[in-house]
Each structure stands twice: as C-alpha cells, then as structure tokens.
Amino acid sequence: MTLSWILATLVAVLILGGLSFYLGRLLWLIKQQQLKQQQVVATKNANLTESIVLIAKAMREGQCELSEGALRLWVLLDHLQLPEKPDAVLTYPGLFKMYDVVKDMPTHQARKERDKKEIRHLDHLREQAEIDLKADILADVHKLLAFFQKQK
C-alpha cells in the first residue's frame, strides 16, 4: 500500500467517526427534547385534570352553575392531551349540549354592552337548558369523575 492510500483511508475513517459522533449527539439531543416535551405535557395534563375534577365536583355538589361548569369543562377537556382520549361529544353528550347552548353567549364586558331585554332572553335560554339537561349533565359529570379516578 502506498502512503497516499493509507492517508486517504485514515481521512475517511476520521470523517466517518466525526459524522457518527455528530449523528449520535443529534439523536441524544432529540431524545432529551422528547423527554422534556413529555414532561411538559404530563405537567399540563396534571393541572388540567386537577381543574376538571374540581369543577366536576363543584357541579355535582351544586356549588357551580351547570352552564358555567359545562363551558369550563369543555374547554379544559379540549386542551387535555391523553393517548386514549375518549370522544367527548359521544362520551359526554349532556355537557356538549349545554356547552353548545352557552358557547356563543356574551360574558363580562360584552354582556354589559348588550340590551337588558336581550340579556334576559339569553339568561332564560341558559336557565331552561340547565333545567332540561340537568340529569344528562350530572350523569356526564359522574362519568367524568369516574374516568379521572381510573387514570390515577
């Protein structure tokens, strides 16, 4: 073998070694990033779960209006990231129906800017929906609490 052949082989080995090291480092960094992302999702899910359970218990005990609870729960359930997340519309139809009634109703400042007659009408619709859907909503709250009890 000639010196140039040995030198070319050595350079090739060094290049392959450097690329292998670089690839290994990139794979390690990706793994670390995935672990960090999983921790962030787990923390977020834990906070969401705590809020969902708290609101559901308050609804069950009558400490939270059903319409307000349904609105809050629906948003929280939407943000929950579980591997086997049930289809909320099919699993909790009472909550979905109540959410569907109140989702577009004005709140806070927008409510203050509306005509009193319109607000009374919207309140009547909301209250009637709470009466009509109460049994379904409470059944869904029970299912929701049972689901999160199993998750522990």
Side-chain angles (χ1 to χ4, degrees), residues 131-151:
I131 292 167
D132 295 343
L133 298 170
K134 182 176 182 176
D136 293 338
I137 292 170
L138 291 177
D140 288 349
V141 164
H142 178 73
K143 282 192 279 187
L144 197 58
L145 289 169
F147 174 77
F148 284 106
Q149 187 64 32
K150 281 191 237 176
Q151 295 295 315

Side-chain angles (χ1 to χ4, degrees), residues 40 44 55 62-63 68 75 104 130 138 152:
V40 168
K44 179 181 175 185
I55 293 167
Q63 298 171 347
E68 181 180 352
V75 172
D104 295 323
E130 284 180 345
L138 291 177
K152 287 184 179 182

Side-chain angles (χ1 to χ4, degrees), residues 41-137:
V41 168
T43 301
K44 179 181 175 185
N45 281 343
N47 292 336
L48 289 170
T49 298
E50 184 180 342
S51 295
I52 289 168
V53 169
L54 183 68
I55 293 167
K57 285 180 178 179
M59 290 172 71
R60 182 183 65 191
E61 302 300 323
Q63 298 171 347
C64 175
E65 289 182 5
L66 297 178
S67 57
E68 181 180 352
L71 187 62
R72 291 175 185 270
L73 284 175
W74 202 259
V75 172
L76 294 172
L77 286 170
D78 189 46
H79 287 89
L80 199 60
Q81 297 177 29
L82 296 177
E84 295 183 24
K85 184 175 168 181
D87 181 356
V89 174
L90 297 175
T91 309
Y92 311 113
L95 284 173
F96 174 71
K97 289 175 188 172
M98 188 74 240
Y99 169 76
D100 202 37
V101 169
V102 298
K103 69 181 178 187
D104 295 323
M105 290 186 178
T107 60
H108 307 296
Q109 189 62 35
R111 182 177 168 89
K112 292 177 184 175
E113 294 170 357
R114 298 285 177 104
D115 179 54
K116 289 186 184 212
K117 185 176 180 182
E118 181 184 2
I119 293 299
R120 279 195 302 273
H121 174 70
L122 292 173
D123 284 347
H124 174 73
L125 291 175
R126 179 183 50 79
E127 291 166 358
Q128 190 61 49
E130 284 180 345
I131 292 167
D132 295 343
L133 298 170
K134 182 176 182 176
D136 293 338
I137 292 170

Side-chain angles (χ1 to χ4, degrees), residues 8-59:
T9 304
L10 183 61
V11 169
V13 168
L14 288 175
I15 290 173
L16 285 174
L19 288 174
S20 296
F21 175 77
Y22 182 65
L23 178 62
R25 175 138 171 82
L26 287 178
L27 290 173
W28 182 80
L29 288 172
I30 288 171
K31 179 76 171 167
Q32 295 305 308
Q33 185 178 25
Q34 288 173 338
L35 288 173
K36 187 175 182 178
Q37 186 177 15
Q38 288 172 351
Q39 290 172 339
V40 168
V41 168
T43 301
K44 179 181 175 185
N45 281 343
N47 292 336
L48 289 170
T49 298
E50 184 180 342
S51 295
I52 289 168
V53 169
L54 183 68
I55 293 167
K57 285 180 178 179
M59 290 172 71

